[in-house]
Amino acid sequence: MTDKTLTSSGFYVSQEKSLQPANKVPTPQTPPPDILRCAYMELIVTDMAASRQFYVDILNLQVTEETENVLYLRSLEEFTHHNLVLRKGDTPAVAAFAWRVRSPEDVDRAEAYYKELGCRVERRADGFVKGIGDAVRVEDPLGFPVEYFHDVEHVERLTWRYDLYTAGTVLRLDHFNQVTPDVSRATRYQQDLGFKVTEDIQDDEGTVYAAWVRRKSTVHDTAMTGGDGPRMHHIAFAAAERGNILSLCDTLGALRMSDQIERGPGRHGVSNAFYLYLRDPDGHRVEIYTQDYYTGDPDNPMITWDVHDNQRRDWWGNPVVPSWYTDASWVLDLSGNVQPVVERTDSSEMQVTVGADGFSYTRKDDQDDMPDWKKGEYKMGHQL
Amino acid sequence: MTDKTLTSSGFYVSQEKSLQPANKVPTPQTPPPDILRCAYMELIVTDMAASRQFYVDILNLQVTEETENVLYLRSLEEFTHHNLVLRKGDTPAVAAFAWRVRSPEDVDRAEAYYKELGCRVERRADGFVKGIGDAVRVEDPLGFPVEYFHDVEHVERLTWRYDLYTAGTVLRLDHFNQVTPDVSRATRYQQDLGFKVTEDIQDDEGTVYAAWVRRKSTVHDTAMTGGDGPRMHHIAFAAAERGNILSLCDTLGALRMSDQIERGPGRHGVSNAFYLYLRDPDGHRVEIYTQDYYTGDPDNPMITWDVHDNQRRDWWGNPVVPSWYTDASWVLDLSGNVQPVVERTDSSEMQVTVGADGFSYTRKDDQDDMPDWKKGEYKMGHQL
Amino acid sequence: MTDKTLTSSGFYVSQEKSLQPANKVPTPQTPPPDILRCAYMELIVTDMAASRQFYVDILNLQVTEETENVLYLRSLEEFTHHNLVLRKGDTPAVAAFAWRVRSPEDVDRAEAYYKELGCRVERRADGFVKGIGDAVRVEDPLGFPVEYFHDVEHVERLTWRYDLYTAGTVLRLDHFNQVTPDVSRATRYQQDLGFKVTEDIQDDEGTVYAAWVRRKSTVHDTAMTGGDGPRMHHIAFAAAERGNILSLCDTLGALRMSDQIERGPGRHGVSNAFYLYLRDPDGHRVEIYTQDYYTGDPDNPMITWDVHDNQRRDWWGNPVVPSWYTDASWVLDLSGNVQPVVERTDSSEMQVTVGADGFSYTRKDDQDDMPDWKKGEYKMGHQL
Amino acid sequence: MTDKTLTSSGFYVSQEKSLQPANKVPTPQTPPPDILRCAYMELIVTDMAASRQFYVDILNLQVTEETENVLYLRSLEEFTHHNLVLRKGDTPAVAAFAWRVRSPEDVDRAEAYYKELGCRVERRADGFVKGIGDAVRVEDPLGFPVEYFHDVEHVERLTWRYDLYTAGTVLRLDHFNQVTPDVSRATRYQQDLGFKVTEDIQDDEGTVYAAWVRRKSTVHDTAMTGGDGPRMHHIAFAAAERGNILSLCDTLGALRMSDQIERGPGRHGVSNAFYLYLRDPDGHRVEIYTQDYYTGDPDNPMITWDVHDNQRRDWWGNPVVPSWYTDASWVLDLSGNVQPVVERTDSSEMQVTVGADGFSYTRKDDQDDMPDWKKGEYKMGHQL
């Protein structure tokens, strides 16, 4: 990390550069679409009633529209038709990661861009789902089903409707998180699309374990997380304050649904956000997220975390639950079939953070053992 | 639990009764002292500079007085001389659990009470530590060093001095927690002293794993936790809000002291309090605690949690770190020697909460397996 | 204030003494009942549907029982039948301030105590309202309708039922506040009943403008506020955190019911609590209150605020709304007639806090002018 | 408001249009600079020690650099050299509103743009203050001193340095607010510069009382507030949560500096943000602000509030302090002289919100009377 500056907080900063991975996805001649932000995800769920309880009754997403097999949901602050489409199906999976672009012409640009890349591309003037107009869906070079659209039905933004709030309400769609085997390759592909890298996790050999990329002025609109992919790691909604996230946990406890809590709450090192990871009734992972920072300047310092910094994933040093590394949702191709998964061949973040004592915890300078009281957390009960 | 009523929250309520353990500590004829509240702890620490950073710089306890080897600390809201005495020594341990009694005569009553019990008793008209007047110290029947006093030097209560607050400040001493092998025997002894039981954890055979007892109108002034004892499990300070506890974690992260965080933050089932467990530089456990409930009515419903309710210790279902069960601080006798520890022979809460899969997680009705994503948390890294 | 110690926060502390007012209510020979805490208020309301929306839908009080003309409500944490009884009637008023006593015998003591005082006393073995057993109601020497009871129906404490919480939920009944012309006389009467004074507001001549008295270990169970009385100033419910109070304001805004907000939110000087004053549909004042301090020690320092300290009522220096001084609810005698009101002859707090410039703002040492930007707040619009 | 849609929250939404004021500032042929965000303000203060206490000790701005007469301050999250420059002088005033532009070439564009407008323009390759490189300062058509720059010294972003946080810390510069006589003219000038209008306040005749305009994706980077101008209404820093703002008030109380609190805390209608207005030692107004909403989509709905909606300025219906309307800071020309002020001739928001009863409170549909208890707030003390 010779070109990076160590900060007083223990991570490094530098100016973002275009990555140069060995097996780069070709950079098209066609200009990329001007992407505004992550806009919605289309999820396949197997039990609509259970999903409705989770997303509507508990997370307080608002129902914009509902048909027999599809539920269109939006967060309280959203003024477009939806941030989440739940479609009933047999296999839990992601049908689309949808991005809003600046103008109708940017849908044309997206179509041309992916055609030049040789990807499968499908365009529908009247949209793939309700509320959305002209849109293009592609199977991107990483294997993800991605939609670009501009035209969208406006609905009422409910920010001021505090009578509709719950103690644990979410307000905004914040980001996606995608699992992909080769993070450098994936990140450069996102850079070509116009994304800026805000943070990443590396080791001394330069292996990239994960990278966060943004279009809007937050830490990310999506992240490339190293692992067998293409898979969907999580979808994240933003809450107003830390207290909302704690109240959501309390409610899950009261409903005796605490099994839905996978990891957290805690403070991330990466992004600085306060977080909670839930699993929906199909196991899709949902993050509740608040309080990252402004990234909108072109020279915003890129942060690099050492994979052996045990505060990178949780600023309080709480170890990452292994399922958080291993589990993720399938994604579908444009025909609705599950995309086959390619194994990651680079080092696994979970593996490299296993210390000499066999526990998944890490720190720099070979002091890789957890303190005794944290180590205990990872012992099996019958060994104690 | 035939005489208990199941609530809609999953625990049981009943009216407190005097426990009748087989090996009861005799109930003295002498009336017990009228105890007001837990007042202070005297702790032996080995590195005064490190302890000072932890308790003064980080927890924001205020220094009332300081000598070469002793630091007298109080929380911001306290109007008596101190809530914590740190004394430099070679072996980390507790020298005294000190209780404030209602009147000077209650010190006489305490002396007579323990003399009738045949305990070692020492009285000093000018106190054992600065700021305290007439006091008696005893080795109680459970082996703990306990002090009773009434006279105390008043100092300024700093509640309104918000210029002295930090984001993660603590305000009050809330309770002690003591480890003892036979919880029923210990609890009955506390009942004889005038304590009321507010909550406990039991199994279907009536084994008591822990009990919470109070004098002031909160959930507890101390708790009897089952384990090898006498040992000190933790001392707890109250903060104003959940956010203060989160900010304290953030600060520990910034200081790269996240190893000090042992368990939490989280919401307790028992007591309903929001909690965090820290370990001080000597390994003494400190809880930061907020928002339990009023218990001052004589018929306050006593709550019994099933030891197989996986939300009893953490309402969000996060498993308990084994070190939290196994580690505790030594206590001293009145000569300053470490008290020998008696093994618990009743079932261990940690052991009975180990499921068929070997993981320390439990729930009622034989559904003892953690969900897959929680189970993972307890696998060793190299097994994944 | 010669016997008082000035603190670094600008108020004074001293040890409580029995007040010796000129026209003292006689101290009975009979011992007073052992009062636990303020327990419930019976309020006459004129529009049950409007009151139900206010107390149930907005404040989230839980309905324990309901008849055609009476609504029995409790806060989420309460385990007794109710904290508030709303009875439909023609004139908004208070029918009873009800106190819970330690034992059934304390009801006998209360009866004897008030008979010795020559007050009108009525006892009903089966209670005056549902859920309450043997009780006595009196017209006390200050003219207030007061009930004492011990027997009460237990209901489920809903503290853990976070699924029932709203963002602005209240949890506990905290205190009453009573308007009475002669605060010293009223306070001594409360001292005789076993109350301890925790704080008061005085001027240099020793005029007492208000006093806070407690049985439970908080700053107060009721307060004596100087003014034309007997009238009821407010009833206060406690919330968990400051954020709950802010969310309640947001909800009132969303419902376009912001007119219900009379004063606040703010931080009190007296009591240190974070507060909000609402007016219910009949104009009864309700405070939402959180985070005062522990007062349970017998030598708890009594605080005296100078009436010319402009931070005594609001720590942030925001002036008190005049209606807060002038408006209060009628109270009924035991026959259900409105009690006539006696004028205060001592100085009025509102009057003495009017500065040379005619504005209701005050500070010590003759610096009685508000800063220019605060002064403006009190100018009439057409004068600007 | 015929082209506007009434929402369920009581305000109107429409798509932004270019305003067409009678006395429009000419739209240059030259393209405007690509402005990123409001970046810093240069303030003249008369007492550096007092200002330092206010901005550094209380608001917790960090000192990047200091010379005898100049203090360079940044908020914890900032990575550029400063957000605030305090320069010692005789007359409190604003020397510059500084905007960061996307590229060095945008400084050229700014220079050309204002030259075409015929404004006084000054360019310095090495900047007007420390930490800033090539910059241009102009006297804009509204009379404000405005700087555009791109080159800036990077410093460490301290977001993760929680050990430096206070309970009431601010994190980011959020926006400026400028007073100008003709809001429509000023807003169209800002639109020509590339700003988007997010909200405004109008009456039925179309008079615009204030308008909020943005470059970054928040509600505003600056606002045009109707009044005698050019003057500076306030500079706003963002905090993380509502609780930080409350803690800041508590601290000011503890320091006996509550006079510094001018208005709030409260929730805005416009912007939905939680707010507090302070006055610095020279009377410069500083807002602490948190939790507005994302506005980055090109078709973000513009909100119009009726000037007679009494929740527009405070969602809780608390009336605006008149000084908030009348007071503002002088601005300097490029020679350092105070700019003369032009009177507003359009209706004054303060005047039109005075009801039939003479009090400054307003609501739609001729229901212009405050409720009795709010009305009281505006009576002079000696009239009560």
Side-chain angles (χ1 to χ4, degrees), chain A residues 75-87:
Chain A
S75 46
L76 276 165
E77 195 175 300
E78 186 58 65
F79 74 96
T80 67
H81 188 266
H82 56 256
N83 298 123
L84 187 64
V85 177
L86 302 180
R87 184 180 303 279

Side-chain angles (χ1 to χ4, degrees), chain D residues 45-64:
Chain D
V45 299
T46 60
D47 179 339
M48 192 58 89
S51 293
R52 189 188 173 101
Q53 182 202 19
F54 183 80
Y55 289 103
V56 177
D57 298 345
I58 297 174
L59 296 188
N60 200 26
L61 294 177
Q62 304 295 303
V63 179
T64 297

